[in-house]
Amino acid sequence: MKRFFCFLFVLVLLPVVSLADLPDLSGLSYDELVQLRDQINLAIWNSREWQEVKVPIGVWRIGEDIPVGKWTISSASDDPDDEPYVIYCNLLTAGGTKASSDSTVFFGVVLAGKDSDDESRPASVDIECKEGMFIVIQYSSVLFTPYAGKPDLGFN
C-alpha cells in the first residue's frame, strides 16, 4: 500500500514539474523568437553532449551562426563525388552571397567526399573560427565537429 501511494504521488507531481520548466513564449515578437532560437542553437553547439552538426550550403557568420572556436570540418554527403568547397574570409561581396576578392583573410579548400579515393584533397580541415569572420560553404553540406587536437606523432 505504501508503494502504491508513493507511485500515485509521483504520477501526480510529474506533470506539474515538467510543465513548470516550460517558458511562456506567446508574448514574444517574431524578432525575439528568432533571437531566442539563435541563442538556443549556440548553447546547443557549445554543450558537450553533441558530437557533430550538419551545416548546409550558404554563408555563415562566426559568432552568430557558428560559434567562435576551433572546428574540424568534413564532407557531410555519403556520395564520394560530393566535394564541398569551404571558404573562410573576413569580407563578403555587396550582395553578401560569396567571399569578396578584397578579403584580407582568405582560406579556401575543396574537401574530398566521404569514402572518396581522391588522395589529392583533404578529408577534413581544422579551422579556428574568429568573431565576425565568415564561412562560405559551396557545392555540398559539411559536418562541424569539435576540434580534438593534433594526433600524437610519438616524438618526445
Side-chain angles (χ1 to χ4, degrees), residues 15-93:
V16 173
V17 172
S18 65
L19 290 176
D21 294 336
L22 297 176
D24 181 20
L25 304 177
S26 62
L28 297 178
S29 70
Y30 174 79
D31 290 337
E32 290 170 328
L33 289 169
V34 169
Q35 185 179 22
L36 180 61
R37 181 200 62 199
D38 292 343
Q39 290 174 356
I40 289 170
N41 286 340
L42 282 173
I44 290 169
W45 275 55
N46 288 324
S47 72
R48 296 196 183 269
E49 285 89 31
W50 76 276
Q51 297 299 309
E52 64 185 23
V53 69
K54 185 177 181 178
V55 180
I57 294 169
V59 177
W60 310 103
R61 186 178 183 94
I62 307 301
E64 289 180 16
D65 304 312
I66 296 174
V68 172
K70 196 158 186 180
W71 303 100
T72 298
I73 304 172
S74 59
S75 176
S77 174
D78 290 330
D79 183 348
D81 293 329
D82 281 349
E83 296 180 329
Y85 183 36
V86 178
I87 301 168
Y88 178 75
C89 64
N90 66 326
L91 291 175
L92 300 175
T93 58

Side-chain angles (χ1 to χ4, degrees), residues 70-146:
K70 196 158 186 180
W71 303 100
T72 298
I73 304 172
S74 59
S75 176
S77 174
D78 290 330
D79 183 348
D81 293 329
D82 281 349
E83 296 180 329
Y85 183 36
V86 178
I87 301 168
Y88 178 75
C89 64
N90 66 326
L91 291 175
L92 300 175
T93 58
T97 59
K98 57 184 177 178
S100 171
S101 59
D102 296 330
S103 289
T104 55
V105 175
F106 186 90
F107 170 81
V109 63
V110 177
L111 298 174
K114 272 188 181 177
D115 302 323
S116 173
D117 294 334
D118 185 358
E119 294 181 10
S120 67
R121 304 196 190 287
S124 66
V125 64
D126 299 324
I127 296 179
E128 181 149 2
C129 296
K130 299 193 182 209
E131 183 82 30
M133 301 292 284
F134 297 93
I135 293 277
V136 181
I137 301 168
Q138 297 176 341
Y139 310 128
S140 182
S141 298
V142 296
L143 293 176
F144 271 67
T145 55

